Amino acid sequence: MTDPGSGAVDDPAGVSILDAAMRLLAEGGLTAFTTDRLASMARVSKSSIYRRWPDKKSVFLALMHQWSQRAEVDESGDLRAELAQWYADRQRAYNQPGFREVAASLLELGAHDQEIGEAMAAYRRSSWNTMRGILTRAVERGELPGAIDLEHLEQFFLGPIYFRAVLEGQEIDDATIADFQRLSLAALGLGAGRQPGASASGVVPC
């Protein structure tokens, strides 16, 4: 099988095909996704698609490779600042046109196809890596207790924003992001006016 990432960096036609695949999934879901429609939307021949990917599964895997971009967060030495960057990055990513529809289609595929499911799992792990780094650095700086369960804490942060974007299909506006940040910091024992690490012993590990 073709490398899932092929056609996504130094191949403008490949990028165009994957962009069209995103739009096709966003507009019609899996039922509307055919190679004929993909070729028409991308304005390429079917043979141009097959030269890069031998079947639709290969296209979906390549799409997963392109879609699984990690959140970009600069290390600042402060948990609040890094969380704010993460929330802003995820707000941009999840508010992209068609994000919900593409995510739902790929989740459906992953439930019925092991290879797609494994690609979805890899996407989730990639997305979580940034949050894991934020939390690990916070523990190392003493802003969070070392006994805290980082895997559960990752899920705690990712769950609400993903639920709103994908399951509810609601826009993630600035007010929602502000509330999510405020509630998450309060849950960590870092509410308004409280310094990181000042009450670390009072934080209940996940």
Side-chain angles (χ1 to χ4, degrees):
M1 180 174 291
T2 303
D3 177 5
S6 64
V9 179
D10 298 322
D11 178 7
V15 172
S16 177
I17 292 169
L18 292 181
D19 286 344
M22 291 272 287
R23 296 197 304 274
L24 193 55
L25 280 179
E27 293 174 7
L30 293 177
T31 57
F33 198 102
T34 67
T35 305
D36 286 329
R37 287 176 175 169
L38 177 58
S40 176
M41 181 167 284
R43 298 183 179 180
V44 299
S45 65
K46 289 172 63 175
S47 62
S48 181
I49 297 173
Y50 289 132
R51 280 199 301 271
R52 294 167 173 83
W53 304 287
D55 50 36
K56 286 198 298 184
K57 179 189 282 192
S58 298
V59 175
F60 291 137
L61 288 171
L63 187 57
M64 281 299 313
H65 190 280
Q66 177 170 290
W67 197 50
S68 58
Q69 297 180 352
R70 295 176 55 187
E72 296 294 333
V73 172
D74 296 325
E75 296 185 28
S76 66
D78 179 76
L79 175 59
R80 286 192 180 93
E82 292 184 13
L83 285 178
Q85 288 186 63
W86 181 84
Y87 273 114
D89 183 286
R90 295 297 84 186
Q91 181 183 23
R92 288 190 297 270
Y94 290 179
N95 279 343
Q96 292 180 80
F99 176 86
R100 184 196 188 198
E101 292 80 6
V102 172
S105 294
L106 293 173
L107 283 170
E108 182 181 350
L109 274 170
H112 299 286
D113 186 288
Q114 181 178 355
E115 193 169 7
I116 297 292
E118 290 173 354
M120 283 293 297
Y123 160 72
R124 287 192 296 271
R125 287 192 294 272
S126 176
S127 298
W128 294 0
N129 282 345
T130 301
M131 177 56 70
R132 176 64 66 100
I134 292 171
L135 299 175
T136 298
R137 291 191 294 273
V139 170
E140 292 172 350
R141 293 191 298 261
E143 295 173 288
L144 293 176
I148 205 163
D149 188 318
L150 294 184
E151 181 178 357
H152 289 169
L153 196 53
E154 287 168 342
Q155 295 170 357
F156 171 81
F157 280 102
L158 291 160
I161 194 169
Y162 197 78
F163 177 89
R164 182 178 177 90
V166 177
L167 299 185
E168 293 293 312
Q170 299 183 53
E171 181 183 2
I172 303 174
D173 55 23
D174 292 343
T176 298
I177 286 295
D179 275 344
F180 281 171
Q181 290 185 71
R182 177 178 56 80
L183 292 170
S184 63
L185 288 170
L188 292 174
L190 300 175
R194 184 164 294 175
Q195 293 299 315
S199 59
S201 60
V203 179
V204 179
C206 298

